[in-house]
Amino acid sequence: GAGVSQTPSNKVTEKGKYVELRCDPISGHTALYWYRQSLGQGPEFLIYFQGTGAADDSGLPNDRFFAVRPEGSVSTLKIQRTERGDSAVYLCASSSPGGGGPDTQYFGPGTRLTVL
Amino acid sequence: GDSVTQMEGPVTLSEEAFLTINCTYTATGYPSLFWYVQYPGEGLQLLLKATKADDKGSNKGFEATYRKETTSFHLEKGSVQVSDSAVYFCALSDQGGSYIPTFGRGTSLIVHP
């Protein structure tokens, strides 16, 4: 596609519920990153995929958070037993060895998650 | 660990004023440095980057120079426009491996006509 897309753009859920957030990276981009951005803060790294595998998940805050990328393209961030503190904008980015270089990330518009 | 410190905002300027947004960093190696911009209602976009000391990144009239001696990467623009109103994020990433960036907290810029 033309850019990184994320769905839904907004998600409101109740405390304790399960949510899934989807990211479609730029076609052909092998690296995919998830971030969480709280109000007034910069993005905080959650997890990084290289292809299908999670190369670094050190940013996941606890075991309620999980992400997959089964075919090396679309990724889903899954949050179990949501808590009010999970409310934030969840950002996805992708990058490629070519183009701007592996250190140039292209961000999606984000999913705003609100946990009531 | 690595960290990035940006000046607090909001920065409020009149159109055509000179802009400086300060950014300093702490890193163990020799990181790449970035400025990202987030316009209202949009996702983060890479504005410019520099990969080694004394490199100058530039784009859309914005510039920033990688200063290793002062560990800084200040963003400048000679004449801002209303359309530059946005939140600006300074970031760094290691040049090998995962390229996972560390972001600053962001600086909001408001430009009045």
Side-chain angles (χ1 to χ4, degrees):
Chain A
V4 178
S5 62
Q6 293 185 246
T7 54
S9 55
N10 280 284
K11 177 70 176 178
V12 180
T13 191
E14 294 180 342
K15 181 176 179 294
K17 299 290 188 183
Y18 168 83
V19 296
E20 290 189 351
L21 311 179
R22 176 188 168 105
C23 172
D24 273 280
I26 292 173
S27 178
H29 279 196
T30 54
L32 185 146
Y33 304 77
W34 282 100
Y35 300 87
R36 179 168 67 177
Q37 186 177 18
S38 300
L39 192 63
Q41 304 292 321
E44 293 180 315
F45 168 73
L46 295 176
I47 186 170
Y48 153 62
F49 287 89
Q50 186 61 252
T52 59
D56 188 335
D57 64 357
S58 61
L60 295 177
N62 51 60
D63 61 6
R64 295 187 298 106
F65 288 74
F66 189 70
V68 296
R69 195 186 186 200
E71 297 177 357
S73 176
V74 171
S75 177
T76 304
L77 178 66
K78 307 180 181 192
I79 310 174
Q80 298 177 320
R81 305 184 303 281
T82 52
E83 299 177 358
R84 292 193 180 89
D86 298 334
S87 297
V89 176
Y90 289 82
L91 300 172
C92 176
S94 67
S95 69
S96 169
D103 60 353
T104 298
Q105 299 193 7
Y106 298 85
F107 282 80
T111 293
R112 182 175 298 278
L113 175 66
T114 303
V115 181
L116 302 177
Chain B
D2 296 349
S3 66
V4 174
T5 302
Q6 294 181 232
M7 63 189 289
E8 288 196 23
V11 173
T12 304
L13 296 172
S14 297
E15 205 165 26
E16 300 184 1
F18 183 85
L19 168 71
T20 300
I21 300 178
N22 290 339
C23 171
T24 56
Y25 67 90
T26 302
T28 52
Y30 299 94
S32 293
L33 301 175
F34 307 84
W35 278 100
Y36 282 85
V37 58
Q38 190 170 31
Y39 297 104
E42 298 184 17
L44 269 79
Q45 302 173 26
L46 178 65
L47 180 59
L48 53 85
K49 70 177 185 180
T51 57
K52 62 182 187 295
D54 301 325
D55 267 2
K56 178 185 285 187
S58 61
N59 187 23
K60 299 181 181 179
F62 291 88
E63 293 182 339
T65 301
Y66 190 142
R67 299 289 187 199
K68 185 169 177 290
E69 64 277 12
T70 55
T71 62
S72 65
F73 193 55
H74 304 321
L75 183 68
E76 296 182 336
K77 186 174 185 182
S79 175
V80 294
Q81 305 299 312
V82 172
S83 58
D84 294 326
S85 298
V87 181
Y88 293 81
F89 293 91
C90 186
L92 65 82
S93 73
D94 291 333
Q95 297 204 33
S98 63
Y99 301 99
I100 297 171
T102 299
F103 287 88
R105 295 180 64 169
T107 302
S108 176
L109 171 65
I110 301 168
V111 181
H112 294 292

